[in-house]
Amino acid sequence: MRIGITCHPSAGGSGVLATELGIALAERGHTVHFVAPENPFRLTEYHENVYSHAVSTAMYPLFQQPPGALALAAKIAEVAEEFGVDLWHAHYAIPNASSAILARDMLPPEKRFQIVTTLHGTDITLVGTDPSFYRVTLHAMRNSNAVTAVSDWLKHETEREFVLERPIRTIHNFLDMDRFTPTTARRSKLAEPDEKIVMHVSNFRPVKRVTDVVRVFKRILERMPARLIMIGDGPERLSAVGVAKQLGIADRIKYLGNQERIETVIPCADVILQPSEHESFGLVALEAMACEVPVIGTDSGGVREVVEHGVTGYLCEVGDTEAMAGYALALFNDPERAREMGRQGRVRALERFSREIIIPQYEALYRELVA
Ligand code: GMT
């Protein structure tokens, strides 16, 4: 099949997932065309059957901002027509699904493609339900041929907020389990042997509650030597820096910024700490589980479908930094329990969220639509 994919190219779960999906589909013999404002950040090397087309947005003095969604639509239409694309997969409703719909409608009927839109979370919970974007999000879903969500929780949230004619299908996120493995080769570069490594990975948006990460870490530090490794970047990073200074623990924290090869860093952690307000899925939690690292997260959103409380990690009330620190300390004091939790995490990831399990679900959906 000839498949087009549009995603946000910057560091973020939806772009990562879209890129991994495209690579996996290409390995299974499909031809995949990425169209995005720039090369997706995890698409770093050559893959047979994968093509990447960057969108260029012309500026004109009348425009206050570059009309990115229109330029994206124009590029999708151009690529679809040139390469005879059968199906376009838009990741994140706005603007990606809207641009794909416009592109399809601009093409002559015999060149039109099917559209699958995958909802990733904030496109519904923060953007789509905002009154200024509600109608356009609804239009994007109604005018796609199929809509998928990355968790049952997100499916139900979306169906509660929007009246849709067709049900949304859940297709969970997945990982390349051969890439995310337990390997601690770089541990000594991050911490001293007697220090526990607490790690957080995100785009540092308010929903991630990064200052909670620092507060949990402070409680841990009161009991044992440890390091906090913060990966990613975003608007709340300075708040984390500020709170760490106030608490007098700034020198115990390393900020690594965005890491392209996250699979080399995550396995070095003793625990991954993701205290988000909500997560539609929590791809980082899955990455940690695949690397046999226990997860401490929040009992909200789709993370409950990923992390099994008490088995592959612990889920606490949002904001309960005391409970999170308590669970981390309990794991640090019982290494055998921590190891077993890590092992269970990888087993769960393999059984439910591997490429081999999830990709056929997308392929079946594509085949249904293209037939
Ligand atoms: O977390 C973000 O704000 C980024 C966002 C994205 O689109 O890149 O992440 C969402 O999609 C990921 C991939 O499906 C999910 O694993 C994240 O849970 C989800 N984030 C939220 O729901 C907050």
Side-chain angles (χ1 to χ4, degrees), residues 8 11-15 17 92 119-122 125 150 153 173 203 205 207-208 278-284:
H8 291 292
S14 59
L17 197 281
Y92 212 88
L119 307 173
H120 280 273
T122 49
T125 55
V150 297
W153 176 82
N173 284 337
N203 53 13
R205 309 235 169 251
V207 70
K208 305 294 178 182
H278 57 78
E279 284 290 337
S280 66
F281 183 87
L283 199 54
V284 173

Side-chain angles (χ1 to χ4, degrees), residues 230-245:
M230 300 281 254
I231 299 175
D233 207 349
E236 289 295 294
R237 199 188 73 84
L238 282 179
S239 310
V241 171
V243 171
K245 271 196 195 137

